[in-house]
């Protein structure tokens, strides 16, 4: 081959090479190894770097600062030693100062007697971003997996063995370490209370490729009973089909729902009317008690305004109460009037409270209504009775006092024996009638809750001496022995209501005298308990009288109860004395009991707390 042909072939080879070089989609650049100047650059490199050919050719690398100096020198040194670089990741700086990640390869070549480094630059910025996203995604998955509050397990579909679990799985199912679980199947771990549920879930998975919120009862490895909600999904992990399951412990939620169901049942079947309304008065709920009380069904009142059951004259009152509730106030036992479906008005006692959301915002008002019509009637009746008793006691006492006063005057005059007897009978009957009136008034006060107790100084010893002098004569008429004994442990001075103590002892002692034909009456006082300045004094009145049968003891303290039938009674009174005495003791925080045996006698014991 002639020299000319060789030259032509060489020229064509160069032309072909540079055509490929110029049109390559990979950025390429020739660097003169002797001068380190850029000799050739293709369009792809200009595109990714942002430079023009004139700004590159003839310049050295450090002049345009494409690569960090230290990195450039390291790679250039390696290239000179090994004649090539393969797939080195470098940060390339563009003309505008931005950088991008490039995969750089270089090789030394000789052209026309000169040594060059041919470098290729592949922009892998997008690939690096994808890799970074994948890395972050993987990190996120690992974090979500490891720190998720739900129990997560990954199982192989091939053999159903568990590949991985998170920490929450250990907590929910009662294990201490992963080694107890990994490598086993769910069937081997055997959590389900109802094993047939495993077949149900498997069948559902095959049909739908996933399961959502499947509830099941389990027994943990520690023997605890729980209720869980399981969801599962089939997905690929490292090109292997796996089952990804998430289990949430809903035991407390399940218990709460059960309590709510029970509460709803209680509310629904409560005799009280229970309903809720929005802050602006729109009815939201309505139980069966409300249906019965007001005559409207739930369907009839739902969405209606509460004014449906409120008489017009009470609307402003209702508005005021609503404002109080919306200001966080709870209203208890507020008495007012409501209206039934038929227009009938009746008394109710209302208790209302705010309904709040999680942010403590008031979203509604709960109302409990109780029909107190009968109670109001009873109260009105009681008021009438009190007024009647007050008037009657005054009207009877006035002439009675006159009768007894004139009896005292007549008794001081010279009278025959028969007249004196008449005067004595009149005075005795008058005192008996006055006692009955006082008993009725006391019982009325007790029932109305208006009985008042005073705190004065009490000397039990002196009180006993006074009562002994007062009552010895009555006991003497029946040849009975009466004694009052106060223990030395009883303090000289107590603080309480002396008048009521005296009334109780007199009532019990008179009762003992009346029902004792022979023998003794013994009244005693002793200390039952003492703590700081509080002291509990026990009093007892015992007799050797007729005694009380067991069937009578059960009702002995009832109002208007008498030991003997009316037609056989030897003693007067209306059967209020013992009832009043017991109630007076209880109202002071004490108690009264009786022990008795027919034909042997009775012991009435009561204790009252006092201040020392």
């Amino acid at each position: 081959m002639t020299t000319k042909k060789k030259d032509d072939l060489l020229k064509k080879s160069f032309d072909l090479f540079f055509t490929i070089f110029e049109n390559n989609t990979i950025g390429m650049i020739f660097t003169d190894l002797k001068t380190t100047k850029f000799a050739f650059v293709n369009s792809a490199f200009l595109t990714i770097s942002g430079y023009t050919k004139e700004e590159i050719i003839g310049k050295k690398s450090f002049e345009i600062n494409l690569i960090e100096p230290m990195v450039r020198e390291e790679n250039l040194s390696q290239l000179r030693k090994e004649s090539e670089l393969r797939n080195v990741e470098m940060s390339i700086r563009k003309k505008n100062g931005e950088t991008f990640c490039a995969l750089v390869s270089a090789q030394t070549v000789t052209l026309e007697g000169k040594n060059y480094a041919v470098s290729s630059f592949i922009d892998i910025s997008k690939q690096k971003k994808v890799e970074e996203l994948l890395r972050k995604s993987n990190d996120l998955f690992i974090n979500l997996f490891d720190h998720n509050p739900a129990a997560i397990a990954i199982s192989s579909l091939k053999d159903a063995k568990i590949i991985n679990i998170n920490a929450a799985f250990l907590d929910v199912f009662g294990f201490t370490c992963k080694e107890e679980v990994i490598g086993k199947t769910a069937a081997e771990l055997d959590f389900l209370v109802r094993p047939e549920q495993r077949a149900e879930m498997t069948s559902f998975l095959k049909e739908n490729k996933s399961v959502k919120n499947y509830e099941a009862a389990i027994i943990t490895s520690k023997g605890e009973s729980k209720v869980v909600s399981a969801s599962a999904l089939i997905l690929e992990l490292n090109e292997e089909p796996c089952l990804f399951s998430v289990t949430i412990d809903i035991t407390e939620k399940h218990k709460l729902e059960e309590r709510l169901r029970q509460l709803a049942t209680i509310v629904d079947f409560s005799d009280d009317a229970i309903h809720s309304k929005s802050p602006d008065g729109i009815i939201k709920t309505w139980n069966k008690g409300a249906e019965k009380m007001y005559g409207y069904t739930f369907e009839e009142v739902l969405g209606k305004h509460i004014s449906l059951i409120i008489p017009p004259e009470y609307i402003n009152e209702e508005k005021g109460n609503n404002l109080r509730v919306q200001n966080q106030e709870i209203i208890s036992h507020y008495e007012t009037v409501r209206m039934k479906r038929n227009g009938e008005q009746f008394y109710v006692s209302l208790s209302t409270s705010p309904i709040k959301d999680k942010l403590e915002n008031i979203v509604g008002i709960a109302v409990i209504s109780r029909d107190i019509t009968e109670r109001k009637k009873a109260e009105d009746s009681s008021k009438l009775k009190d007024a009647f008793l007050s008037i009657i006691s005054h009207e009877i006492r006035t002439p009675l006092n006159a009768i007894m006063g004139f009896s005292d005057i007549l008794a001081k005059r010279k009278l025959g024996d028969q007249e004196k007897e008449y005067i004595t009978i009149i005075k005795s009957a008058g005192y008996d009638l006055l006692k009955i009136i006082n008993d009725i008034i006391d019982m009325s006060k007790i029932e109305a809750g208006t009985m008042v107790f005073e705190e004065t100084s009490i000397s039990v010893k002196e009180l006993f001496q006074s009562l002994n002098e007062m009552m010895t004569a009555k006991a003497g008429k029946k040849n009975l022995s009466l004694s009052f004994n106060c223990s030395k442990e009883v303090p000289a001075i107590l603080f309480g209501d002396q008048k009521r103590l005296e009334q109780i002892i007199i009532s019990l002692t008179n009762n003992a005298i009346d029902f004792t034909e022979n023998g003794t009456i013994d009244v005693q006082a002793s200390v039952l308990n003492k703590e700081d300045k509080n002291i509990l004094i026990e009093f007892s009145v015992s007799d050797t009288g007729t005694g009380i049968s067991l069937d009578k003891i059960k009702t002995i303290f009832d109002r208007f109860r008498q030991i003997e039938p009316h037609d056989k009674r030897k003693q007067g009174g209306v059967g209020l004395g013992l009832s009043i005495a017991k109630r007076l003791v209880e109202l002071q925080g004490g108690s009264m009991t009786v022990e008795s045996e027919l034909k042997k006698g009775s012991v009435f014991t009561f204790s009252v707390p006092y201040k020392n």
Side-chain angles (χ1 to χ4, degrees), residues 367-586:
V367 183
I368 302 175
S369 311
R370 177 167 293 180
D371 188 341
I372 58 169
T373 305
E374 293 303 317
R375 196 196 81 195
K376 294 293 286 187
K377 288 180 180 178
E379 287 177 355
D380 291 342
S381 174
S382 179
K383 288 177 182 177
L384 287 172
K385 182 184 72 174
D386 291 343
F388 172 77
L389 288 174
S390 178
I391 294 169
I392 291 299
S393 64
H394 176 74
E395 295 300 325
I396 293 177
R397 273 178 170 175
T398 301
L400 184 60
N401 286 333
I403 291 170
M404 295 178 68
F406 282 117
S407 296
D408 287 336
I409 293 172
L410 287 173
K412 293 177 182 179
R413 295 188 176 185
K414 292 182 179 181
L415 300 172
D417 291 341
Q418 191 171 12
E419 286 81 1
K420 286 182 180 179
E421 184 180 352
Y422 290 159
I423 293 298
T424 301
I425 292 172
I426 291 171
K427 288 179 68 177
S428 178
Y431 281 120
D432 287 343
L433 183 58
L434 187 61
K435 182 180 182 303
I436 290 171
I437 292 170
N438 288 336
D439 283 351
I440 291 173
I441 292 172
D442 280 346
M443 182 55 72
S444 176
K445 287 180 179 179
I446 289 170
E447 289 182 344
T450 58
M451 178 64 73
V452 177
F453 293 91
E454 298 177 354
E455 187 172 295
T456 59
S457 60
I458 304 172
S459 171
V460 177
K461 186 176 181 180
E462 290 180 5
L463 176 62
F464 274 15
Q465 289 174 350
S466 174
L467 293 176
N468 191 29
E469 292 173 4
M470 180 193 305
M471 307 190 77
T472 294
K474 181 177 180 179
K477 288 179 181 179
K478 299 179 72 174
N479 293 318
L480 300 174
S481 172
L482 176 64
S483 64
F484 286 81
N485 299 294
C486 179
S487 169
K488 293 180 180 179
E489 294 178 355
V490 177
I493 298 295
L494 301 173
F495 292 93
D497 195 320
Q498 178 168 324
K499 179 183 175 182
R500 296 304 174 189
L501 176 60
E502 184 177 342
Q503 180 181 349
I504 296 164
I505 295 174
I506 289 174
S507 178
L508 295 178
T509 306
N510 274 331
N511 194 69
I513 293 172
D514 289 342
F515 289 93
T516 303
E517 296 304 321
N518 53 71
T520 61
I521 312 292
D522 185 28
V523 183
Q524 295 191 24
S526 60
V527 175
L528 191 61
N529 189 25
K530 186 175 182 181
E531 187 175 336
D532 296 329
K533 293 185 177 181
N534 299 308
I535 188 166
L536 187 64
I537 305 296
E538 182 179 81
F539 298 89
S540 65
V541 179
S542 59
D543 63 60
T544 57
T546 57
I548 309 166
S549 63
L550 288 175
D551 60 319
K552 293 289 194 304
I553 283 182
K554 295 177 181 179
T555 59
I556 193 67
F557 294 114
D558 292 352
R559 293 180 304 162
F560 305 111
R561 286 285 181 176
Q562 307 210 337
I563 297 173
E564 297 175 321
H566 179 74
D567 56 349
K568 294 183 180 180
R569 278 195 295 124
K570 297 178 182 179
Q571 310 304 329
V574 292
L576 284 175
L578 290 178
S579 178
I580 290 171
K582 188 172 189 293
R583 292 293 290 122
L584 287 176
V585 169
E586 290 173 343

Side-chain angles (χ1 to χ4, degrees), residues 9-121:
L9 285 173
L10 186 60
K11 182 177 183 304
K12 286 180 180 180
S13 178
F14 275 123
D15 289 344
L16 179 60
F17 173 80
F18 278 103
T19 299
I20 295 171
F21 172 79
E22 179 61 31
N23 295 290
N24 202 315
T25 55
I26 298 172
M28 298 183 73
I29 193 168
F30 274 68
T31 305
D32 188 327
L33 287 176
K34 184 177 180 181
T35 63
T36 69
K37 292 181 179 181
F38 297 124
F40 308 102
V41 63
N42 70 352
S43 298
F45 184 85
L46 297 175
T47 300
I48 62 175
S49 67
Y51 288 96
T52 64
K53 190 174 287 187
E54 290 75 18
E55 292 172 321
I56 295 285
I57 300 300
K59 299 286 180 67
K60 292 184 178 183
S61 178
F62 73 86
E63 291 182 280
I64 56 175
N65 199 22
L66 279 174
I67 302 170
E68 289 293 329
M70 187 179 293
V71 175
R72 183 179 63 245
E73 293 304 321
E74 285 178 1
N75 286 283
L76 186 58
S77 175
Q78 183 179 342
L79 181 62
R80 283 172 174 162
K81 287 179 182 178
E82 301 177 7
S83 300
E84 67 174 356
L85 290 175
R86 287 187 179 275
N87 301 327
V88 179
E89 291 185 11
M90 294 187 191
S91 179
I92 307 300
R93 182 173 285 103
K94 295 182 181 182
K95 180 180 177 179
N96 61 9
E98 294 178 4
T99 60
F100 66 94
C101 189
L103 193 63
V104 181
S105 295
Q107 188 171 354
T108 59
V109 296
T110 302
L111 291 176
E112 296 181 338
K114 290 185 179 181
N115 293 324
Y116 294 95
V118 182
S119 305
S120 63
F121 299 80

Side-chain angles (χ1 to χ4, degrees), residues 118-300:
V118 182
S119 305
S120 63
F121 299 80
I122 301 173
D123 187 350
I124 59 171
S125 299
K126 290 182 179 180
Q127 179 184 333
K128 296 299 289 185
K129 286 180 180 179
V130 170
E131 288 177 356
E132 180 63 15
L133 285 173
L134 286 173
R135 186 191 63 77
K136 288 182 177 179
S137 178
N138 188 54
D139 290 345
L140 179 61
F141 173 80
I142 292 171
N143 280 326
L144 288 174
F145 182 86
D146 288 338
H147 301 100
N148 201 300
I152 302 176
I154 301 173
S155 307
S156 170
L157 276 186
K158 184 179 179 181
D159 56 14
K161 290 183 178 181
I162 296 172
I163 299 170
N164 199 3
I165 60 172
N166 67 348
F169 189 97
L170 301 175
D171 292 335
V172 171
F173 291 95
F175 292 102
T176 55
C177 64
K178 290 185 177 184
E179 287 72 21
E180 294 177 276
V181 179
I182 293 174
K184 295 181 180 178
T185 66
E188 289 173 332
L189 295 174
D190 193 24
F191 299 123
L192 293 172
V193 173
R194 290 175 52 223
E196 64 270 20
Q197 285 186 301
R198 184 172 295 106
E200 290 176 11
M201 288 184 70
T202 303
S203 175
F204 202 85
L205 266 170
K206 287 180 179 178
E207 292 178 13
N208 303 280
K209 305 300 181 184
S210 66
V211 174
K212 288 185 179 180
N213 304 323
Y214 187 93
E215 293 190 6
I218 66 166
I219 302 295
T220 71
S221 65
K222 292 180 179 178
E224 295 175 307
S225 296
K226 291 184 178 181
V227 179
V228 298
S229 174
S231 297
L233 177 68
I234 296 175
L235 48 75
E236 282 197 2
L237 187 64
N238 296 327
E239 298 182 355
E240 181 184 343
C242 294
L243 181 65
F244 186 86
S245 62
V246 178
T247 306
I248 301 172
D249 184 351
I250 59 169
T251 307
E252 292 304 316
K253 175 176 173 286
H254 195 265
K255 288 179 181 178
L256 178 60
E257 287 174 349
E258 181 59 29
R259 286 196 292 269
L260 288 174
R261 279 193 293 271
Q262 292 174 357
L263 181 60
T265 302
I266 293 169
V267 167
D268 204 32
F269 289 95
S270 171
D271 289 334
D272 290 335
I274 303 174
H275 68 271
S276 65
K277 58 186 179 179
S278 63
D280 57 354
I282 302 301
I283 296 171
K284 298 294 184 182
T285 61
W286 189 261
N287 77 335
K288 293 187 185 299
E291 290 183 348
K292 183 178 178 181
M293 184 179 294
Y294 292 101
Y296 293 99
T297 65
F298 173 63
E299 291 74 17
E300 289 173 323

